[in-house]
Amino acid sequence: MDREQLDNWCEKSVLGLVLAILVFSVLAIGAARPQDFLVVQWMAEALLVVWSFRFLINPKHRLLWTPVCWPVLAFVVYAIARYWTAEVEYLARQELVRIVVYAVIFFVVINNLHKQEPSQILGLTLIFLAMALSFYAVLQFLKDWDEVWSLVGSFDKPPGNRKRGSGTFVNPNHLAGYLEMVLPLALAFTLTGRFSHLMKVVLAYASLAIFAGLTVTFSRGGWIGAAASLGALFYWTVRQREYWKRTLIVLAVFAALFAVTLTKARVSPNRFERFDVAQQVEDIRFRLWVPATAMWKDHFWFGVGPNHFDARFGEYRPFDFDLQSRPDRAHNDYLNTLADWGLVGGLLVAACWGTFFWQVFTGWRFVQRSQNDLGAKRSNRASFVLGGALGLLAILVHSYTDFNMHIPANAILAVTIMALVASYYRFASERYWHTVRLPLRIVVYPVLAAALVWLGVQSWHRTRECAGLARLNPITRAIATESAKAPPERLATLGKKQIEALEGIVVAEPKNFEAAIELGEALRIQSFVGLPGYESLAEKALVWFRRAMELNAHEARARIGYGMCLDWLGRTEEAGRYFEEALRLDGNQFAVAARVGWHHFQIQDYAGAKQWFEKSLKLTTDPKLNPNASIYLRLTEERLAESTNSPFFKR
């Protein structure tokens, strides 16, 4: 086999891998779980291998470097620098891995799939995949399915996401984010593309299905984002003599479908009540914006650190019983970027988007076919640029009220579309092509090698960590299920298995502070049973809680566990300062308040304990989440009553 054939197979391999990443990430509930994103990591590693091999076998293989590549590269460099200065290494490294994966996909796509045939294959695959997701979402809506079936298992939707179409995503807003990026592309292909009449009919049907799927998500942010992109698309097509009639027909059909869906949603009082619950749950996101803004203002230039928003949220948590769980993200990609990366990171991200759209505007005349007196000639490349750019406009609008760009499937789709659209800027000038000869090889080859080795090492470590999580999860579920009815011997056996599984995880990933906390907590619970040897178990728990505090200085749970172990060992004077630190780090969290009350109960400060238990109960209205506070409050009030009625107190 000669070099040309090998090079051709490499190009096809890249196309196959990119298609596999796009399809798998969507069908695996957005690849939001670590074990699912790990598959994407390994496929990105394979992309690097194939691309590197292509450089070696084909000396004529050229590098396509359009203007948008510069800010993308600048942000990757900034992410690496910010990783080295981050306070919580584990969190920053996981975020850096994602950024490197997205950057690999971007640069591989723009340099290997810039021809019209691969981009057309990718575009049609995305359209038909979105159509299939939309059919599933419509069925979920019509049949009231509250379970999500995906490639990696079935999952129950949270209460706020039920009675809405979500496809293979758990959150309907994330399906809306996906569909709104593909819908303009499907419509642009339908209205302006050069396809056969049969294919045009199929594309029109797919566009209708995708719009229906987007409608049944009942995502207000998704609707607004889609309206912005479709408004721009229809404005352009109406102004073209060849397209204005069919554009008006599409508008009428979409309006009718939207009205019918809203009518169907209001038929059932129970369904309407569930939508009202969903709206209340979603509106909580707006309360997150105040602490997110405060976090950014306190760390204006460089942010709190990559992927640090959730870890630092406790210090900014308001006194609000609706904000007691871990927020994970700020539900606003712009604020989340500023909080994590600061103004410098925000400006670099803005430079990526700004340069991209500048390329679209300035390169538009180069992707259109020549016009004649009868009207504009149809062009698939112009259709792709138009539909892709407007799809990205939609996700930018939607990102103001959601965190779609932190869902890997949506981020990968956005990066892929950006790379494909940016590659068409090659028609503007030949100067964006670079043959990789000396001295360019001195830069390109080491960078590829470094990315290949680093991503491979990280993927291997993550594989070992996820294997440990796979062993741990069924044990954790068994403990949660059997804790109320299982005999003590069974619980002791499960506890030992849990400790062994957690020890395996911290060996595979020593920087995983979450595993260290869970290991310390498992040891603490075993110690609190009070069987012989409980002191040594508590001492071991102290070691892991201390380790977690070293790995993440902003973690309140580690300090709570450490203080409880000290109280259990009779070292109450030492315990006090750890509870005080926990209050400083997350004083408005109900579980922290309850544990502080428990500490005051142990040192017989019943008046102080009563205050903390009452605060804890004010911060959660669900007694199932906070049973200990209710029980200890009653005991505390009994002790206070006994003290009040004692002869010494009366005297």
Side-chain angles (χ1 to χ4, degrees):
M1 186 177 293
D2 59 23
R3 288 173 180 258
E4 187 175 346
Q5 285 181 307
L6 280 173
D7 185 67
N8 185 44
W9 278 109
C10 285
E11 186 176 344
K12 290 180 179 178
S13 299
V14 168
L15 177 60
L17 285 168
V18 171
L19 286 172
I21 289 172
L22 289 168
V23 174
F24 174 81
S25 61
V26 172
L27 299 182
I29 59 169
R33 301 187 308 168
Q35 57 266 45
D36 301 328
F37 188 75
L38 177 62
V39 179
V40 176
Q41 275 183 236
W42 280 115
M43 286 193 280
E45 177 76 1
L47 281 176
L48 276 175
V49 171
V50 176
W51 192 24
S52 301
F53 186 65
R54 197 173 184 194
F55 273 113
L56 294 176
I57 65 171
N58 185 5
K60 296 180 180 180
H61 181 60
R62 296 189 297 174
L63 195 66
L64 177 59
W65 197 267
T66 63
V68 72
C69 295
W70 289 112
V72 171
L73 179 62
F75 182 76
V76 173
V77 172
Y78 174 71
I80 295 171
R82 195 65 188 88
Y83 159 71
W84 286 108
T85 59
E87 293 187 62
V88 186
E89 190 273 347
Y90 179 75
L91 294 176
R93 176 154 43 90
Q94 300 312 317
E95 188 72 359
L96 181 60
V97 167
R98 290 195 178 195
I99 289 170
V100 169
V101 168
Y102 300 154
V104 167
I105 294 171
F106 176 83
F107 287 115
V108 169
V109 168
I110 199 173
N111 282 280
N112 295 269
L113 304 179
H114 47 72
K115 296 177 182 177
Q116 186 166 331
E117 183 181 0
S119 64
Q120 187 169 301
I121 292 173
L122 285 168
L124 292 175
T125 302
L126 292 173
I127 290 169
F128 294 132
L129 177 60
M131 180 179 69
L133 289 174
S134 299
F135 284 145
Y136 182 29
V138 171
L139 282 174
Q140 288 174 322
F141 170 71
L142 294 176
K143 299 293 186 179
D144 288 349
W145 290 344
D146 290 335
E147 189 176 23
V148 175
W149 299 330
S150 72
L151 195 64
V152 292
S154 60
F155 305 87
D156 292 327
K157 296 181 186 177
N161 297 336
R162 294 175 181 171
K163 311 306 177 187
R164 302 162 61 192
S166 66
T168 53
F169 294 84
V170 174
N171 191 326
N173 298 326
H174 301 151
L175 174 64
Y178 188 89
L179 297 181
E180 70 194 5
M181 283 190 279
V182 182
L183 180 57
L185 183 62
L187 282 172
F189 273 10
T190 302
L191 296 174
T192 68
R194 296 180 64 200
F195 294 97
S196 65
H197 293 297
L198 177 60
M199 180 58 75
K200 283 293 189 75
V201 172
V202 174
L203 287 170
Y205 186 71
S207 302
L208 187 64
I210 294 170
F211 183 81
L214 178 60
T215 302
V216 299
T217 63
F218 288 87
S219 169
R220 291 165 292 170
W223 289 352
I224 294 171
S229 63
L230 295 185
L233 175 63
F234 291 148
Y235 175 77
W236 183 83
T237 53
V238 164
R239 292 166 60 88
Q240 309 297 316
R241 285 180 296 174
E242 189 179 356
Y243 309 134
W244 71 272
K245 290 183 180 179
R246 67 191 69 180
T247 298
L248 293 178
I249 293 173
V250 171
L251 267 172
V253 172
F254 279 9
L257 181 60
F258 189 76
V260 169
T261 305
L262 288 183
T263 302
K264 171 65 178 175
R266 296 176 183 272
V267 168
S268 168
N270 178 58
R271 182 187 291 275
F272 183 76
E273 181 181 348
R274 297 295 287 276
F275 283 139
D276 187 54
V277 171
Q279 180 176 337
Q280 293 175 15
V281 171
E282 287 194 347
D283 285 344
I284 295 174
R285 77 182 81 177
F286 302 119
R287 302 187 203 173
L288 289 171
W289 295 0
V290 175
T293 303
M295 194 182 298
W296 170 46
K297 289 181 177 178
D298 287 348
H299 306 82
F300 186 77
W301 291 107
F302 303 108
V304 293
N307 199 23
H308 279 44
F309 174 80
D310 187 62
R312 299 296 300 273
F313 179 76
E315 300 166 53
Y316 296 87
R317 190 192 305 271
F319 189 91
D320 190 333
F321 66 85
D322 281 330
L323 295 180
Q324 290 301 297
S325 61
R326 297 178 63 172
D328 189 38
R329 303 293 177 183
H331 289 264
N332 180 321
D333 277 329
Y334 299 96
L335 271 179
N336 213 135
T337 300
L338 291 171
D340 277 356
W341 299 96
L343 183 63
V344 174
L347 290 175
L348 287 172
V349 173
C352 295
W353 288 106
T355 306
F356 169 77
F357 283 107
W358 174 81
Q359 281 190 200
V360 171
F361 283 117
T362 58
W364 177 247
R365 60 191 178 94
F366 298 104
V367 298
Q368 287 185 299
R369 301 185 74 214
S370 60
Q371 298 185 10
N372 57 29
D373 294 337
L374 298 177
K377 292 184 179 180
R378 297 182 182 183
S379 167
N380 282 349
R381 66 191 186 195
S383 299
F384 196 99
V385 170
L386 178 65
L390 292 178
L392 294 179
L393 173 65
I395 198 67
L396 285 179
V397 174
H398 189 180
S399 291
Y400 186 75
T401 57
D402 238 311
F403 56 103
N404 271 296
M405 298 305 289
H406 287 91
I407 301 301
N410 288 350
I412 290 169
L413 175 60
V415 165
T416 304
I417 292 176
M418 177 183 279
L420 291 170
V421 173
S423 70
Y424 282 101
Y425 201 64
R426 67 187 184 276
F427 294 107
S429 174
E430 279 291 322
R431 70 176 183 271
Y432 301 120
W433 290 103
H434 305 277
T435 302
V436 183
R437 299 191 182 98
L438 290 173
L440 192 56
R441 288 183 184 179
I442 300 175
V443 177
V444 173
Y445 286 7
V447 169
L448 281 176
L452 193 64
V453 172
W454 185 83
L455 187 59
V457 170
Q458 297 305 318
S459 299
W460 171 245
H461 286 309
R462 193 65 160 171
T463 300
R464 295 178 60 204
E465 185 181 4
C466 287
L469 289 171
R471 292 191 294 270
L472 173 67
N473 289 336
I475 300 172
T476 303
R477 287 194 295 268
I479 292 174
T481 304
E482 303 178 23
S483 59
K485 55 184 179 181
E489 297 80 8
R490 168 65 175 167
L491 292 178
T493 302
L494 288 174
K496 290 179 180 178
K497 289 182 178 180
Q498 183 185 30
I499 291 170
E500 291 174 359
L502 286 166
E503 287 174 342
I505 294 175
V506 295
V507 169
E509 179 49 81
K511 297 295 182 68
N512 188 340
F513 66 91
E514 294 278 2
I517 292 174
E518 291 186 26
L519 179 54
E521 187 65 13
L523 289 165
R524 183 193 68 78
I525 291 172
Q526 290 287 308
S527 174
F528 273 38
V529 174
L531 297 176
Y534 74 90
E535 297 96 339
S536 62
L537 288 172
E539 292 290 348
K540 289 180 181 178
L542 288 175
V543 172
W544 288 107
F545 284 131
R546 190 182 305 112
R547 176 64 174 159
M549 286 187 277
E550 293 170 355
L551 294 173
N552 184 355
H554 305 282
E555 183 55 69
R557 292 174 297 163
R559 286 161 175 78
I560 288 293
Y562 199 91
M564 292 182 73
C565 286
L566 290 177
D567 277 335
W568 180 241
L569 293 172
R571 296 154 60 181
T572 55
E573 292 184 2
E574 296 179 52
R577 74 180 184 91
Y578 291 98
F579 287 100
E580 291 175 3
E581 289 180 9
L583 286 174
R584 177 180 59 82
L585 293 171
D586 203 356
N588 285 328
Q589 211 275 333
F590 77 90
V592 173
R595 297 298 195 187
V596 172
W598 179 88
H599 167 68
H600 283 271
F601 187 88
Q602 302 304 311
I603 61 176
Q604 300 182 6
D605 177 16
Y606 300 120
K610 183 174 184 294
Q611 293 178 359
W612 287 110
F613 289 135
E614 288 175 343
K615 178 179 179 178
S616 178
L617 291 171
K618 288 178 181 177
L619 287 169
T620 177
T621 57
D622 189 350
K624 294 181 180 179
L625 294 176
N626 200 14
N628 290 333
S630 302
I631 295 171
Y632 271 99
L633 177 61
R634 186 173 65 252
L635 292 174
T636 300
E637 290 174 341
E638 291 175 0
R639 299 291 173 86
L640 286 171
E642 291 173 2
S643 300
T644 303
N645 295 326
S646 67
F648 178 79
F649 183 83
K650 290 180 179 179
R651 187 165 64 249

